[in-house]
Amino acid sequence: MKQRYYSLDVFRGATVALMIMVNNPGTWAHMFAPLKHAEWHGCSPTDLVFPFFLFAVGNAMSFVIPRLQEAGPAVFWKKVLKRTVLIFAIGLFINWWPFVKWEAAELVFKQWVDGTDPTRGIRIFGVLQRIAVAYCLASILAYYFKEKMIIWISAIILLLYWAICAIAGGADPYSLDGWFGTKYDIAILGLPHVYKGEGVPFDPEGLMSTLPTIVQVVFGYLVGVFIKKQGQVDWLWKKVPASNEPHFKLLAGMFVTGFILVVLAWIWALGFPINKKIWTSSYVLYTTGLATMTIGGMIWFIEVQGVRNKLTQFFDVFGKNPLFIFVLSGILPRFLGLFRIPDGVKDDGTQQYIDAFAWFYKYVCAKIPGIPEVGSFVYSLCFLTLMWVICYWLDKKKIYVKV
């Protein structure tokens, strides 16, 4: 069997594609329910996308860490720290981009702290920043500890996070108001630099809730090791001889492990609800279990059954330039937002403006017959297609942007 699994590349590409699609609706006011995040507790299909990507980051580590262990600590620290800083810096760049904004009829610089409202400024954390921190700390665990010890450390982290949430939180420690992490995010990052999309200062990618995401990446790494060794590991029990069916032990182990994790998550959720926005420990187990079974299914179809079709090729293209295309999907709409198109006048007679993407949604996608969610979804698909075309062109030119 091939050392490098094509199914892992397809899994990563599919995750990136879904991240782009759910982050770019025609309008946030009209989205189909599966494309929305859960209001608070619970887990929608969209809530699987980010943890699946972190899981994929861990999968990739399982191929890189052995080479870094052979190269030595100096090479390891140089590579990991450089990649961490770059990914974090790119995430901060996206938050600040395009550095200017329209105020009335002129472009003004976006200040680190808003001069007119000192409670607002440039957000420090975000999706890429969380990926950077989780990747860095998970890499350290993977580099210095054996798999069995990593499992114990991961369990301790998840239990510790539960204890901190329960003890340091308010009367309702798992609610928006009662969660303990917000006060520390504000104290460390500063109020102007914390996300306020919930209507109050609360950062769903803040410092405190990043702790369990380390385990998300670590679990991805462990599953990657399990796949590389075709299920022949002795993390928790004695190693057994290889099966006569080389894929049977691997796939059986993945599906059984994934199922067990999901059941444990449901049990844990009775006391520690499944919640993406504070990234609860039960949420880590639940999404890891689903990710493990999803990859198992992909291995069965792609590696065992030999399925290679337009769908796998579509997602594989995204998987070859995942970071680049995710960044582009974030900065391109904001950049085009600087170029305003006249779009009628307000009631008071002042000119209204619209950008190119918003114009396309308003005058093309939103005109599609049916409920408004249809037009918003069509816009998402069109935007995703644009990103795919760019990825496809890069792949044809053998251009792969890596950090």
Side-chain angles (χ1 to χ4, degrees):
M1 186 183 297
K2 294 178 292 184
Q3 180 77 353
R4 182 75 180 187
Y5 279 71
Y6 178 60
S7 50
L8 300 184
D9 297 328
V10 174
F11 176 84
R12 182 174 62 252
T15 303
V16 173
L18 290 173
M19 287 177 74
I20 292 172
M21 190 173 73
V22 301
N23 286 340
N24 293 276
T27 171
W28 294 101
H30 299 292
M31 299 175 65
F32 288 114
L35 299 178
K36 295 180 180 179
H37 290 291
E39 288 294 328
W40 191 249
H41 295 323
C43 184
S44 74
T46 297
D47 292 321
L48 300 177
V49 177
F50 193 8
F52 273 34
F53 186 80
L54 288 171
F55 189 84
V57 170
N59 288 158
M61 281 170 44
S62 67
F63 295 90
V64 175
I65 291 296
R67 296 200 298 266
L68 294 178
Q69 288 172 331
E70 292 177 1
V75 174
F76 165 78
W77 283 104
K78 180 180 179 180
K79 182 177 180 62
V80 169
L81 291 180
K82 177 184 176 182
R83 193 159 191 251
T84 299
V85 171
L86 282 174
I87 295 174
F88 195 99
I90 293 170
L92 188 59
F93 170 85
I94 293 175
N95 287 352
W96 208 332
W97 176 262
F99 306 112
V100 292
K101 61 181 178 179
W102 283 103
E103 283 190 2
E106 62 179 356
L107 286 171
V108 297
F109 181 72
K110 294 169 68 174
Q111 298 174 311
W112 181 245
V113 177
D114 195 308
T116 59
D117 184 358
T119 67
R120 296 191 173 275
I122 305 303
R123 185 186 177 199
I124 292 178
F125 265 72
V127 170
L128 289 181
Q129 295 89 317
R130 168 160 286 183
I131 291 173
V133 174
Y135 158 77
C136 179
L137 297 177
S139 294
I140 294 171
L141 289 178
Y143 185 84
Y144 285 103
F145 295 96
K146 298 295 185 181
E147 286 84 3
K148 189 172 183 179
M149 180 58 67
I150 292 174
I151 293 175
W152 286 110
I153 294 173
S154 298
I156 291 171
I157 291 174
L158 294 181
L159 289 169
L160 181 63
Y161 183 63
W162 182 27
I164 295 173
C165 286
I167 295 171
D172 186 359
Y174 313 128
S175 66
L176 177 60
D177 295 329
W179 186 63
F180 84 101
T182 297
K183 58 184 178 183
Y184 292 103
D185 286 339
I186 293 174
I188 297 172
L189 302 175
L191 180 59
H193 310 299
V194 173
Y195 185 71
K196 300 176 182 66
E198 302 290 334
V200 297
F202 166 77
D203 204 320
E205 280 91 39
L207 285 167
M208 298 299 108
S209 58
T210 296
L211 181 64
T213 67
I214 301 167
V215 178
Q216 198 95 50
V217 178
V218 164
F219 281 165
Y221 166 76
L222 292 175
V223 170
V225 173
F226 186 80
I227 292 171
K228 285 182 62 180
K229 296 183 178 180
Q230 300 182 37
Q232 305 303 315
V233 297
D234 56 351
W235 300 342
L236 297 176
W237 49 80
K238 185 177 179 181
K239 184 183 293 186
V240 297
S243 168
N244 292 329
E245 294 292 336
H247 295 95
F248 175 79
K249 186 173 181 63
L250 169 63
L251 295 176
M254 293 184 70
F255 281 110
V256 170
T257 300
F259 176 75
I260 291 174
L261 289 175
V262 169
V263 172
L264 288 176
W266 285 337
I267 296 172
W268 203 344
L270 298 174
F272 196 18
I274 293 173
N275 187 306
K276 175 190 180 294
K277 293 183 178 178
I278 58 175
W279 216 283
T280 57
S281 301
S282 57
Y283 175 70
V284 172
L285 294 186
Y286 181 68
T287 52
T288 297
L290 293 179
T292 302
M293 289 189 285
T294 300
I295 290 183
M298 287 185 170
I299 290 176
W300 168 254
F301 282 106
I302 296 174
E303 314 296 347
V304 179
Q305 300 299 316
V307 173
R308 299 287 195 280
N309 54 31
K310 297 297 183 182
L311 185 62
T312 59
Q313 293 171 9
F314 178 86
F315 290 128
D316 178 46
V317 168
F318 280 108
K320 292 178 179 178
N321 272 299
L323 180 62
F324 170 80
I325 203 63
F326 178 75
V327 171
L328 181 65
S329 71
I331 66 175
L332 183 59
R334 299 185 189 187
F335 175 68
L336 292 181
L338 297 177
F339 302 92
R340 305 190 302 178
I341 303 170
D343 187 46
V345 296
K346 300 179 182 178
D347 293 337
D348 61 4
T350 57
Q351 180 69 57
Q352 289 189 128
Y353 296 94
I354 196 171
D355 64 65
F357 280 156
W359 184 94
F360 177 73
Y361 167 70
K362 182 176 180 179
Y363 293 104
V364 179
C365 298
K367 300 296 184 181
I368 296 174
I371 58 177
E373 285 77 6
V374 173
S376 184
F377 181 65
V378 169
Y379 173 87
S380 296
L381 293 178
C382 291
F383 186 85
L384 181 65
T385 302
L386 173 63
M387 295 297 104
W388 182 85
V389 169
I390 295 172
C391 279
Y392 180 78
W393 180 84
L394 291 172
D395 185 37
K396 286 298 181 183
K397 296 295 183 179
K398 304 298 181 183
I399 300 174
Y400 305 110
V401 184
K402 299 183 182 295
V403 175

